[in-house]
Amino acid sequence: MTKRSSNEIMQAALAAETAVLAFNIPYLPMMGAVVEALRDTRTFGLITVARLEWVKFESGSMAAIHNEYERVKDERFTRLHLDHCPVIDEDDLAVEYLEETTRAVELGYESVMVDGSRLPLRENIAATRRVVDMAHASGIPVEAELGAVLGHEAGPLPPYEELFSTGRGFTDVDEAVRFVRETQVDWLSVAVGNIHGAISAAKKNETKLAARLDIDHLKRIRQATGVPLVLHGGTGIRREYVLDAIASGIAKINVATAIRQPYERLREESVEKAQRAVYEAVRTLVRDELDLAGNVDMINPVL
Ligand code: 13P
């Protein structure tokens, strides 16, 4: 069995106009249920954990996540990805991002994300470039973010309609071209109307609003940059927008709230029931909502 790299997989997804779903794991027992649902639907997915999921939730540590991944992985359907390693985190604190992403690469994560999107462009470029140089030396692809995908911050969000109609925080096309050229980043996370599900204690149980996407803007970024684009905040976006986005350059979609909330609702009653709810949520999403079931045959993660 020859294993294709995560970058080859993303390029294949882009070319086939399908998308790789990336499932966030804030509680380790969720991971096996996600892998099982991917296998049962023959869908390729990334198992992904953001720094805030071991700092603010219960995924433990980068090593604990890696150990659990080694236990439950199925490389015909999955790879392991480090999600958001921020340069400045959601509480405005500086993070040792180069040390943390280096540790992920050393542990065996198969792709990493550095998130300098809270920085001015020049500093985001510089931080991203450092991580790209480090990761590429080990053959590991890097995702970075340009534009403001809001939602993880504790404070109130500006009214969504105002954000969408003004395009405030959207990824700028010219900046995206420069960013990709100067950082050599492999995959670019963009802001085109998407927002993250809330994670603050006050708001994390709320139903996420139905975000829209500016598909024309997305197409402009796609044409100008040529790299696989990533859609964060995958929960709750209306189906027709997501399908259009996949046909317009989105090759990876991050999903957290849609599987975290069902797990949290049931985990005190029974971890097994909570795992079952995660399994069902993944299956419904890939099979019924996004028509991605079976996409492993378009991506060929192993040859
Ligand atoms: P949602 O919680 O909206 O699914 O967003 C997930 C995400 O983008 C994690 O990086």
Side-chain angles (χ1 to χ4, degrees):
M1 167 173 118
T2 309
K3 206 176 116 180
R4 288 178 106 188
S5 72
S6 298
N7 200 33
E8 288 169 329
I9 289 169
M10 284 282 284
Q11 292 291 345
L14 182 71
E17 293 191 4
T18 184
V20 168
L21 293 185
F23 290 99
N24 285 83
I25 308 291
Y27 304 93
L28 292 183
M30 293 170 66
M31 197 189 293
V34 172
V35 174
E36 198 185 329
L38 290 170
R39 180 166 46 231
D40 288 355
T41 55
R42 299 190 46 72
T43 310
F44 181 82
L46 293 175
I47 298 298
T48 185
V49 191
R51 176 179 173 271
L52 64 83
E53 284 164 319
W54 67 83
V55 173
K56 299 196 166 158
F57 289 88
E58 297 177 18
S59 61
S61 65
M62 253 194 280
I65 294 151
H66 183 260
N67 288 344
E68 180 66 358
Y69 181 70
E70 286 299 309
R71 200 178 70 79
V72 302
K73 73 180 178 183
D74 185 335
E75 293 185 327
R76 295 170 304 164
F77 302 99
T78 63
R79 296 288 183 274
L80 181 62
H81 171 72
L82 176 71
D83 189 24
H84 293 281
C85 181
V87 179
I88 303 290
D89 75 8
E90 57 287 349
D91 301 321
D92 272 337
L93 300 172
V95 175
E96 304 226 305
Y97 65 94
L98 188 57
E99 289 76 359
E100 298 218 7
T101 48
T102 302
R103 180 155 163 66
V105 169
E106 285 168 359
L107 277 167
Y109 284 66
E110 295 162 301
S111 50
V112 297
M113 177 188 189
V114 57
D115 176 3
S117 64
R118 293 190 181 94
L119 299 170
L121 178 64
R122 232 157 44 93
E123 292 171 38
N124 188 358
I125 289 175
T128 302
R129 182 73 211 213
R130 273 184 215 119
V131 175
V132 167
D133 286 345
M134 175 280 297
H136 282 186
S138 301
I140 295 298
V142 177
E143 173 183 340
E145 187 162 295
L146 184 66
V149 183
L150 299 176
H152 279 166
E153 301 76 8
L157 201 66
Y160 181 75
E161 284 310 320
E162 185 188 308
L163 273 183
F164 192 81
S165 59
T166 58
R168 200 173 108 205
F170 280 18
T171 306
D172 180 88
V173 178
D174 295 333
E175 287 187 2
V177 172
R178 177 174 163 203
F179 187 84
V180 169
R181 188 180 61 234
E182 293 186 15
T183 63
Q184 294 294 302
V185 78
D186 300 278
W187 318 330
L188 184 66
S189 162
V190 294
V192 291
N194 45 319
I195 58 167
H196 285 115
I199 53 144
S200 69
K203 289 184 290 185
K204 73 184 178 59
N205 297 330
E206 289 175 8
T207 302
K208 196 182 160 190
L209 65 79
R212 309 203 305 274
L213 301 175
D214 185 336
I215 297 293
D216 288 337
H217 192 69
L218 177 64
K219 284 181 179 158
R220 286 192 285 272
I221 300 171
R222 157 88 178 113
Q223 251 162 13
T225 62
V227 293
L229 302 177
V230 180
L231 185 69
H232 281 244
T235 298
I237 302 171
R238 286 214 300 270
R239 172 188 148 91
E240 60 271 26
Y241 286 107
V242 181
L243 297 183
D244 277 355
I246 295 172
S248 308
I250 291 291
K252 170 174 176 281
I253 303 175
N254 284 29
V255 178
T257 309
I259 59 170
R260 174 181 56 77
Q261 288 182 338
Y263 186 84
E264 286 177 333
R265 270 197 288 275
L266 285 163
R267 72 184 182 128
E268 273 170 29
E269 190 186 322
S270 146
V271 169
E272 270 155 41
K273 278 191 192 168
Q275 287 172 312
R276 190 79 207 157
V278 170
Y279 175 88
E280 292 298 345
V282 172
R283 234 168 44 136
T284 305
L285 186 66
V286 302
R287 202 181 51 183
D288 307 331
E289 290 177 26
L290 299 182
D291 304 325
L292 294 173
N295 79 356
V296 78
D297 296 324
M298 302 158 92
I299 292 175
N300 298 313
V302 292
L303 299 170

